[in-house]
Amino acid sequence: MTEPNNLFIEFHALRSYAPGNLNRDELGTPKTAVFGGVRRLRISSQCLKRTWRTSEFFRGQLAPDVLGVRTKHLPRLVREALEKEDVPEDVLEGMTDLLRQLGKGEDDDGSDELTAHLLYLSQSEIEAAKEFGRKHRKQLEKVASLRKAVQAEAVAAKESAPDAAGKPKKGKRGNGNTSEKTEELKALMTELRSDLTTHIRESGARNAVDVALFGRFLTSTEFASVESAMQVAHALGTQKVELEYDYFSAVDDHGEGPGAGMIGESEFAASVFYEYAVCDWRTLVGHLQGNGELAAMSMKAVALAIARAVPKGKANGTAPQNPADYLEVVIRRNAPISLANAFMKPVRPTESRDAMELSIDSLREYGARCEKAYTAQDDVIARFILTLRTPAHDRSGETRHESLDELAAAVGKKLIEAGVKA
Amino acid sequence: MIRGIGLRLEGPLQSWGGPAVGDRRPSLDFPTRSGVMGLIGAALGVPRQEVAKLASLQRGLGFAVRVDRRGVAAVDYHTVMAPGVFKTTLQTWRTYLQDASFAAIVVERDGLEPPLERILEALLHPRFLLYLGRKACPPSAQVLAFPRILEGDRWEDLIDSIAPAERPDSDAGVVFADADLGSDRRTRLGQRRVRDVLTGPLPRMYEERDVVQLRRPLPAAASAQGSTDGKDTIDPWFA
């Protein structure tokens, strides 16, 4: 067999949620999908990703400095750090001015200290920005002095030629002429932004773990977009969905006579969900600058989130704190496959067996068949199971764990053993 | 002698992007050339930014797809927070095909780089994650229809060798093929222009191609390759 291209870490989970509305469309209806000709409940991929990424189950496993920071305040963060190092005021102003441009097309001469939009950065990237400030003092001083000159010109222009109503004319846009200083500032800014982009790229700044896993899309060129190492499928109900309506009324405490203050309907449903996600190991490790241990930790964190984290939809009214009954984590070399087809025929509870038990057995039985048909001898490196129900059949080559923590630790350990050189 | 690779494109959700205007993101009703070439590129480990490489790959392959289950189109309401250009939460409406299944072939053309054997191997052991149009659409069947190169006198023989999916619908058997593959006039339902030929140099720059729509008989299910229903036993790919 030729040297494999990659390792994939697959997560298959079965989770039953009590009646609620975890993920809804713009009309408040629970999201659904038709699969196997039958309508099921669905939780969208984007909802799951956000739920996992923001949950304490995920974040609690990782040190704060490896998690991403979402902020518009990059200019201020850098300024405050460099101030402590006694960097001269001119350099600080120039740096603030430069960072304020991030994400903007035209030159921004505004007074705020914010980037155009929220940037999703790692601590490492913020450090790289600070380093740029330390290294480019001369140019940043020039930026500050040019900016002052341009601002002075603008003020002078306003004062010397107010319009008929006595109001000052608008700045450079008003007359279409730009001064030499303005052009110089623009050119310098462009050069510095390009230098900053190169600097960040070559600094070896590591991506934040959540950025590496779930990706980011930024329109600023200085910080590159990151392709997500994880792929998360929309969660699908294993059963046919029955959408229901909850008729509610709100009583007016000082109401007179019969009748409620307000009446309404909200929709809800319940299902066992099949959740599937898979991670591209080499891409993940690459994003984390070769740090296999950190990558392995992140897989632990993902396992915990998948089994425990709950989407926020209607949470206050339904308390949907239902953990997974079944979690299967597989480390494999060949192409990963979603086992959704195990549920093409929707699961139907019987007198003696409920939807979860039947779903678990369908999943395992179908998974075993796929394995037999499509997998070469040593393609599956390891399989870890956590199950709250007793499956109908055992399978060879899987290790059962008693607790989620134990399973997560075993996954992490195996990945470190298997090595970065996937 | 025509050589190619057979594919099965099946998953609970798939989406094959057509021209998108603003917040409405539609799907074509069959897998696009660019989407499938991108999938092959992903298996090979070609990053999405290497447009020239992807464009050259797709020039070396002919493409035809058969509808086994056209699926049900549905729109997912998808909000994006702090998206960058817009100050408030962006609302998008993205179309998916639910419960669809397609058989497809890519056939070798002159100058195919890398060779077909390498592509086959990459689909068995992909470098990047494979998905059906959108990343949230992992396949629920093996993407490869067979673990080997297909050979035949005509491209139609290649696609006929892929057994139909379970529960074929009334549209099953309709084939959308590159017009320049050539086809039997009598089977033609029509022809259209589809803008899904990746050209570059920027990512997501496309040209149009001519696509013929053909009505062909669905092959018999008896060959049963790729079926994982309990009734049929599959010859294991790796003995």
Side-chain angles (χ1 to χ4, degrees), chain B residues 135-179:
Chain B
K135 202 155 185 178
C137 302
S140 63
Q142 289 292 325
V143 169
L144 275 175
F146 308 95
R148 61 178 183 278
I149 309 254
L150 302 176
E151 290 185 342
D153 291 324
R154 314 170 309 150
W155 69 265
E156 288 96 331
D157 296 334
L158 267 50
I159 207 165
D160 282 348
S161 68
I162 307 175
E166 302 290 313
R167 298 174 295 118
D169 62 20
S170 56
D171 260 5
V174 171
V175 171
F176 294 95
D178 285 341

Side-chain angles (χ1 to χ4, degrees), chain B residues 21-87:
Chain B
V21 181
D23 48 22
R24 284 355 194 225
R25 315 277 170 89
S27 168
L28 258 62
D29 43 354
F30 55 88
T32 52
R33 206 177 208 287
S34 49
V36 174
M37 297 303 164
L39 182 139
I40 293 175
L44 288 166
V46 181
R48 64 171 81 234
Q49 298 84 359
E50 287 183 27
V51 176
K53 229 169 163 181
L54 289 172
S56 124
L57 167 72
Q58 65 91 23
R59 270 195 299 274
L61 292 169
F63 177 61
V65 63
R66 182 184 75 213
V67 179
D68 285 354
R69 286 202 301 269
R70 83 173 97 83
V72 177
V75 175
D76 181 39
Y77 175 66
H78 182 150
T79 57
V80 184
M81 291 163 71
V85 181
F86 300 91
K87 301 217 189 299

Side-chain angles (χ1 to χ4, degrees), chain B residues 3 15 55 64 75-76 78 83 85 99 107 135 182 184 186 188 195 197 213 216 222 225 234:
Chain B
R3 295 183 348 128
S15 186
V75 175
D76 181 39
H78 182 150
V85 181
D99 207 16
V107 299
K135 202 155 185 178
D184 184 346
R186 290 167 298 178
R188 284 213 200 138
R195 184 175 290 281
V197 178
Q213 190 174 342
R216 304 197 66 255
Q225 271 281 8
I234 317 135

